[in-house]
Amino acid sequence: MSSLKYPRLRYLLAGVAMFFLFFALLRAGFYLWSSEVSIADGADAATVLKTLGVGLRFDLRLAILLMLPPAVLLVLPRFNATRTTALRWLMRLWLVFAVTAVALVYIVDFGHYAYLGLRVNASILRFIGDAQISADMVWQTYPVVSIMLGWLVGCVLVIALLFRLERRTLDRRPQPAGFVRSSLALALAVVLGFTGILGRAENINLENPVPLRWSDAFFSGSTQIGALGLNPVVFIWDTWRTPTNRYDLDSVRSHAEQVAAYLGATPEIDEALPRFDRELPVQAHRLAVKRPPNVVFIMLESFGSSVTGMHGNPLDPSPNLDALARDGWFLRNFYVPVTGTAKTVWASITGIPDVSRVESATRNPFIVPQRTVLNAFTGHDKHYAIGGSAGWANMSALISSSIEGITLHEEGEWKSPNVDVWGVSDLDLFKEVDAMLRAQPKDRPFFAIVQTAGNHQPFTIPPDSDGFEVKTLPEEQIQQAGFRSNAQYNAVRLLDYSVGRFIEMAKQSGYYDNTIFVLYGDHNGRISTLPFMPPAYEALNLESLHVPGIIHAPKLIAPRVTEEATSLLDLLPTVAGLLGVEYRNTTMGRDIQLPAPEGERAVPVLLREGTFPLIGVVTRHHLLRMNADGSEASMHEIASKTPLENVAALHPEEFARLSGLARGLHETARLMLYSNKVDAR
């Protein structure tokens, strides 16, 4: 075989180039097929290209890091991979592992983004605890066999190219290059490798070089654009290796006065775990009724405001919910504090935003049982109904241990057959819940929580759905209304239809007139685009948190529209106020019928999860957002046509007020996850 100058160096450089090209192609695929951002659709070209450039630098970093083990095995002075067969095979095994593992991470990343609208990070580990349910959902939603075949074929091709590169370089006899030239070539390779891993080529402080960080991808302020600049493998590593403290006591104490005023509490800041407890008496606005009304909470799976007619969706997919809103209290600016089903279950029961950094709070065995306002409803029989398993995300532990006297109804109890991984259909769930409530003793009110699941991949439409008719519309029309597919559109319609049927059943069963129905989305599903809503909802990532909020009891309360910002955290205190329940509130929820002491009502939100969260508070008019450490704070007008514009300088007093609330409420929420535990005094 012919000779070659610098064969090992050529092999390493070519290997880096091959990996980099592989990652660049995957990045292009993400931009073209997964991302909501498109220059063709009006996104700023310079911003998108700059963000993609950041991403390519992360790709180069990963490519270099993957070739470092081969580099070590090749530069050993005497026994190295060019002379020792065992080391050559060790190098090959590393490359096989690296290619297959990294390719699998990219597949998971594509699916994770399609599912949650977030690039994969260390929080993906939370799904390991529910491996069977997660695997079933993936199997029923995605063409797993085709994906795995594609993964296998792609890996074989890349590995074959790397092995071919090995034969064309390392198997050739090296030409003498001289000590000086070899040393210069090695030094140049080290400098280039260091620069590539660092991700920067200018303004480098050699005494303390600052590498390219994940936050550099979010320079634009847009979560969707920032996603274009992340590398999933690097981001998992960044979020996994960063330690997270439970809470920052100094920050809690420094914001205690403002948070206490917000909650109407007298803080106990000298306690080991500061507390913000307050006693709520019977309210003057309680309902004038002889018998306490029943209460039914209905959690609407993946049901954001954008899929409802009440918020302007042009396809009118939710006529039943729209009617309930017209005849009840319509909370127009209603938010869940953070996206995710288990996190909504946690917040709705405890009144605390689930601001856990890695996994959902329901999965943390050290913070249950929790105190809950629900336990003040001592005269009500309590039921929790879910069509599938409450073991998902370990929700059953929170429900059963925290709610006194609760009866949990789940998979295995229902007479109806399971239709997919999420258990029985929502319509069948409502039918069985109606039968259960109809059989309740007439002299005792009930408090039931119904958790739906049908509006979720794989978007199953059971054949026997009481006359529900599937509609098929042109893809362009579907996407302009915010839906990603006809399957998602019809799943939303079916959930709305099922709620309508449940209300009909309640009327026929005789408990409708004396029941308060509270309906809310747990988060928004994946959307395409929302031209019918203010651009802030997409640009500022509010669309995932803005959900319908309805309190419906036309025989008990008069219709009204609440324009102020309200939160999922507020539902239990508000219902307690209506029913004249005295209770001790140890968390963050507030009765929306009581005046907000902070002025314009503000509610906490978590705009980006994980190790590096983006926190905020939202009012009717503004969103204040910042990093969790308080840096890079900005304020935005929700009704603006240019919502990314920072208007903090135009409203300095409001900016200061909301900045303190955002930081204080976030750190206090982190503390409350632990201080609200039943024995945490």
Side-chain angles (χ1 to χ4, degrees):
M1 183 173 285
S2 61
S3 61
L4 184 68
K5 191 173 291 187
Y6 311 122
R8 287 178 287 183
L9 184 57
R10 288 174 183 263
Y11 170 76
L12 293 173
L13 290 175
V16 169
M18 287 177 62
F19 273 123
F20 176 72
L21 179 61
F22 179 45
F23 301 148
L25 290 174
L26 289 170
R27 184 168 302 280
F30 179 83
Y31 171 73
L32 293 173
W33 297 305
S34 292
S35 174
E36 298 96 339
V37 176
S38 172
I39 295 174
D41 292 336
D44 182 68
T47 302
V48 171
L49 293 175
K50 182 178 178 181
T51 307
L52 289 170
V54 172
L56 290 173
R57 283 185 278 164
F58 278 123
D59 296 341
L60 180 60
R61 174 186 292 175
L62 180 59
I64 294 171
L65 291 173
L66 291 178
M67 290 303 293
L68 278 182
V72 171
L73 294 174
L74 287 169
V75 300
L76 294 173
R78 188 168 182 179
F79 298 100
N80 56 56
T82 61
R83 299 179 179 180
T84 307
T85 302
L87 293 180
R88 177 73 68 94
W89 275 105
L90 181 61
M91 184 179 73
R92 290 169 179 165
L93 288 174
W94 161 255
L95 291 174
V96 169
F97 168 77
V99 170
T100 53
V102 168
L104 189 60
V105 169
Y106 269 91
I107 289 173
V108 172
D109 179 57
F110 275 82
H112 193 269
Y113 195 86
Y115 179 31
L116 296 174
L118 299 169
R119 301 301 296 265
V120 70
N121 56 69
S123 66
I124 190 69
L125 299 175
R126 69 187 187 273
F127 293 112
I128 295 177
D130 302 291
Q132 183 61 54
I133 296 176
S134 299
D136 288 345
M137 189 275 288
V138 169
W139 180 262
Q140 294 177 18
T141 303
Y142 302 104
V144 176
V145 174
S146 299
I147 291 173
M148 289 297 98
L149 285 175
W151 167 70
L152 184 61
V153 171
C155 289
V156 168
L157 289 175
V158 174
I159 292 168
L161 289 173
L162 287 169
F163 283 11
R164 178 179 174 84
L165 172 65
E166 175 193 320
R167 292 193 300 271
R168 293 179 64 86
T169 53
L170 300 182
D171 288 346
R172 296 175 68 175
R173 180 170 49 85
Q175 292 182 9
F179 177 77
V180 174
R181 287 187 176 182
S182 297
S183 298
L184 288 174
L186 180 60
L188 180 61
V190 170
V191 170
L192 291 176
F194 172 79
T195 304
I197 292 174
L198 193 66
R200 303 183 188 278
E202 56 185 15
N203 300 322
I204 298 176
N205 181 350
L206 293 179
E207 294 183 358
N208 184 26
V210 178
L212 184 73
R213 301 189 186 279
W214 65 268
S215 55
D216 291 310
F218 292 91
F219 70 90
S220 67
S222 168
T223 303
Q224 291 90 350
I225 294 177
L228 292 172
L230 297 176
N231 178 288
V233 178
V234 175
F235 197 48
I236 288 175
W237 170 252
D238 285 343
T239 53
W240 175 76
R241 71 188 179 90
T242 303
T244 57
N245 297 322
R246 288 181 171 183
Y247 41 79
D248 183 345
L249 274 177
D250 291 337
S251 182
V252 172
R253 292 191 169 107
S254 67
H255 293 91
E257 183 176 347
Q258 186 177 13
V259 171
Y262 173 92
L263 296 175
T266 301
E268 302 174 20
I269 59 175
D270 294 330
E271 296 282 338
L273 294 177
R275 302 187 66 85
F276 297 83
D277 299 359
R278 60 268 190 210
E279 300 291 339
L280 278 297
V282 174
Q283 299 298 322
H285 56 256
R286 66 172 296 181
L287 297 172
V289 293
K290 294 181 179 180
R291 178 186 182 276
N294 308 305
V295 182
V296 176
F297 273 36
I298 302 176
M299 191 181 86
L300 306 167
E301 170 64 39
S302 302
F303 215 91
S305 295
S306 64
V307 302
T308 64
M310 71 189 84
H311 286 280
N313 191 289
L315 297 183
D316 190 31
S318 59
N320 294 286
L321 286 166
D322 297 344
L324 296 179
R326 285 193 298 270
D327 294 337
W329 289 2
F330 172 32
L331 311 179
R332 190 187 302 276
N333 294 296
F334 182 81
Y335 295 88
V336 292
V338 58
T339 188
T341 298
K343 291 175 178 285
T344 289
V345 170
W346 175 274
S348 65
I349 292 174
T350 67
I352 308 170
D354 183 353
V355 291
S356 304
R357 294 287 172 88
V358 176
E359 58 184 8
S360 63
T362 58
R363 293 178 167 92
N364 187 339
F366 302 109
I367 57 176
V368 290
Q370 288 274 310
R371 296 178 178 87
T372 172
V373 172
L374 187 50
N375 288 332
F377 292 77
T378 54
H380 286 68
D381 291 336
K382 303 179 185 73
H383 301 271
Y384 195 106
I386 179 173
S389 171
W392 165 256
N394 205 34
M395 294 183 298
S396 57
L398 171 71
I399 297 164
S400 298
S401 68
S402 301
I403 305 174
E404 296 170 1
I406 190 76
T407 301
L408 177 59
H409 309 272
E410 59 178 324
E411 189 176 69
E413 177 178 337
W414 309 119
K415 298 176 182 177
S416 305
N418 288 351
V419 296
D420 57 25
V421 63
W422 305 116
V424 304
S425 73
D426 292 336
L427 182 55
D428 285 339
L429 175 64
F430 281 129
K431 289 179 179 179
E432 299 212 32
V433 167
D434 171 66
M436 177 181 67
L437 299 181
R438 189 169 61 245
Q440 281 286 117
K442 303 304 179 186
D443 59 341
R444 283 184 61 83
F446 55 78
F447 195 125
I449 302 174
V450 183
Q451 180 179 336
T452 66
N455 183 33
H456 193 296
Q457 292 172 323
F459 301 129
T460 303
I461 307 293
D464 182 16
S465 296
D466 286 9
F468 174 78
E469 296 181 0
V470 173
K471 292 183 179 179
T472 302
L473 300 179
E475 286 296 320
E476 183 177 355
Q477 184 180 6
I478 285 288
Q479 293 178 3
Q480 284 299 306
F483 298 101
R484 295 170 70 91
S485 66
N486 270 289
Q488 183 188 26
Y489 166 60
N490 281 295
V492 166
R493 291 181 57 244
L494 178 58
L495 178 50
D496 174 79
Y497 183 84
S498 300
V499 170
R501 287 284 295 115
F502 178 57
I503 296 298
E504 292 175 5
M505 296 175 214
K507 292 177 180 178
Q508 295 167 2
S509 297
Y511 57 86
Y512 170 81
D513 288 350
N514 196 42
T515 298
I516 298 174
F517 295 89
V518 182
L519 304 100
Y520 53 93
D522 71 334
H523 59 85
N524 204 358
R526 298 295 300 120
I527 53 94
S528 56
T529 184
L530 304 175
F532 53 91
M533 296 186 74
Y537 289 99
E538 284 189 85
L540 301 175
N541 204 33
L542 284 172
E543 53 84 14
S544 62
L545 305 174
H546 186 226
V547 300
I550 303 168
I551 300 178
H552 178 83
K555 300 294 184 179
L556 302 172
I557 56 176
R560 81 179 195 190
V561 177
T562 298
E563 299 288 356
E564 284 191 304
T566 51
S567 173
L568 173 71
L569 310 174
D570 301 329
L571 293 181
L572 275 175
T574 299
V575 173
L578 283 172
L579 269 62
V581 174
E582 296 182 62
Y583 61 97
R584 182 180 183 86
N585 196 337
T586 58
T587 57
M588 285 191 175
R590 303 183 298 173
D591 186 340
I592 66 173
Q593 295 205 82
L594 297 176
E598 74 272 19
E600 185 177 32
R601 187 177 290 272
V603 297
V605 290
L606 187 61
L607 300 159
R608 182 179 65 232
E609 297 181 66
T611 314
F612 313 108
L614 185 67
I615 67 175
V617 290
V618 62
T619 69
R620 176 183 177 183
H621 297 105
H622 294 103
L623 168 69
L624 184 290
R625 63 181 185 176
M626 60 174 65
N627 290 326
D629 62 2
S631 63
E632 300 184 23
S634 60
M635 191 166 78
H636 308 268
E637 289 186 0
I638 293 175
S640 172
K641 293 183 179 180
T642 56
L644 289 176
E645 179 183 357
N646 184 1
V647 299
L650 300 178
H651 310 279
E653 293 183 0
E654 182 73 346
F655 176 71
R657 177 180 82 96
L658 296 181
S659 294
L661 276 178
R663 187 81 194 281
L665 291 176
H666 179 73
E667 289 299 339
T668 303
R670 295 180 69 197
L671 167 75
M672 283 182 172
L673 295 177
Y674 295 87
S675 67
N676 194 54
K677 189 174 185 290
V678 169
D679 60 355
R681 289 199 72 103

